[in-house]
Amino acid sequence: QVQLVESGGGLVQAGGSLRLSCAASGRSFTSYAMGWFRQAPGKEREFVAAIGWSGGNIYYADSVKGRFTISRDNAKNTQYLQMNSLRPEDTAVYYCAYSRMFPEGSTRWYDYNYWGQGTQVTVSS
């Protein structure tokens, strides 16, 4: 049974940093793309970052470029999202996801097969 476990969320002041982790189990995800999405209250889920299976293709939403960094460790079936210079508008529930259909990565949430449970990130001003 596939299971994705997220960690690293929390409360931080504006300008601070957090590192999210998403560990997958139940099968190998070496050939999968990995991604992060977020959803704020009253808003639709939005793309944050994605990385292809080899790590060669990386995508970021314009709103996080230069501040967030996505990475992966295939040996551990784990992906990370390093978030620096956080802003109050980054406050949301963050979800990790894995895509089998689009191994080079995708910005569309419906291209992803497996999802984490979500972790809350709150940035205070």
Side-chain angles (χ1 to χ4, degrees), residues 17-99:
S17 298
L18 285 174
R19 188 191 194 209
L20 305 184
S21 298
C22 178
S25 61
R27 63 165 299 142
S28 172
F29 288 90
T30 302
S31 61
Y32 283 53
M34 300 177 180
W36 291 90
F37 292 77
R38 66 187 182 187
Q39 188 166 18
K43 294 188 176 181
E44 294 186 351
R45 188 178 315 185
E46 66 172 354
F47 168 75
V48 176
I51 185 168
W53 69 275
S54 67
N57 293 345
I58 295 178
Y59 311 89
Y60 294 103
D62 288 343
S63 58
V64 307
K65 275 181 185 176
R67 300 188 298 122
F68 290 12
T69 302
I70 188 172
S71 61
R72 61 188 291 162
D73 185 337
N74 284 343
K76 297 181 178 179
N77 268 353
T78 299
Q79 62 170 314
Y80 307 94
L81 186 67
Q82 177 67 43
M83 304 186 295
N84 299 329
S85 302
L86 282 162
R87 305 167 179 168
E89 53 264 39
D90 294 319
T91 296
V93 176
Y94 283 70
Y95 298 91
C96 65
Y98 289 66
S99 172

